[in-house]
Amino acid sequence: MRLVLSALLVGFVAVGLIAVGSIQVANPTTAGVLAGIVVDDTGTAVTGAPVELRAGARVARTTVTDAGGRFRFENVVAGAYEVRASGLGFQTTSMSVEVLTDRPTAALRLVLVRPARIEADRAQAKAEALASAVATMARASS
């Protein structure tokens, strides 16, 4: 009887270890790496920028960029994701990406823009449109 109980106990422990091991180890054929860099609108790396890996509305993982603006998510299950970066004084930016089975994902480049820069670009576009309209009216009246 002791021999049967010992054999059953060893069997249960072995099954438990296999189950736990399968949860902890990602299958390399269904997991990939998403890596990239976060820069500002001048091309300078942004240090300490929060980066989110989102699956639909759910935040799957988060990280922070290193001193070179780089980030990395390992063991990402194949599927569609949004990578979102933000930073103090910048507008949040995002990029859609798909992780495919057995294929490397290209390095991502997320560009953070300062809201003041966006307003300056809008003002420039308005000024150019106004100048064009004035020039058109001047030609039409001559």
Side-chain angles (χ1 to χ4, degrees):
M1 182 71 170
R2 278 185 157 171
L3 184 59
V4 171
L5 288 176
S6 294
L8 284 173
L9 181 61
V10 168
F12 286 130
V13 169
V15 168
L17 288 174
I18 291 170
V20 169
S22 66
I23 291 171
Q24 293 176 346
V25 178
N27 182 346
T29 61
T30 60
V33 174
L34 280 177
I37 188 168
V38 176
V39 297
D40 66 14
D41 54 347
T42 67
T44 303
V46 179
T47 302
V51 181
E52 296 177 343
L53 178 64
R54 302 175 68 88
R58 182 178 66 85
V59 176
R61 299 205 209 147
T62 61
T63 190
V64 177
T65 58
D66 65 13
R70 293 175 297 272
F71 65 90
R72 183 176 183 89
F73 295 105
E74 295 190 15
N75 296 322
V76 178
V77 177
Y81 295 92
E82 176 187 15
V83 179
R84 186 180 292 181
S86 58
L88 189 60
F90 294 101
Q91 262 195 322
T92 300
T93 189
S94 64
M95 171 183 280
S96 296
V97 64
E98 187 167 354
V99 176
L100 302 174
T101 304
D102 297 328
R103 292 196 186 155
T105 303
L108 306 176
R109 183 178 177 89
L110 295 165
V111 180
L112 294 177
V113 179
R114 296 184 191 280
R117 173 68 181 216
I118 292 170
E119 289 305 316
D121 289 347
R122 285 184 185 152
Q124 178 68 30
K126 286 180 183 178
E128 289 172 0
L130 181 60
S132 176
V134 168
T136 301
M137 289 173 44
R139 281 193 303 266
S141 66
S142 359

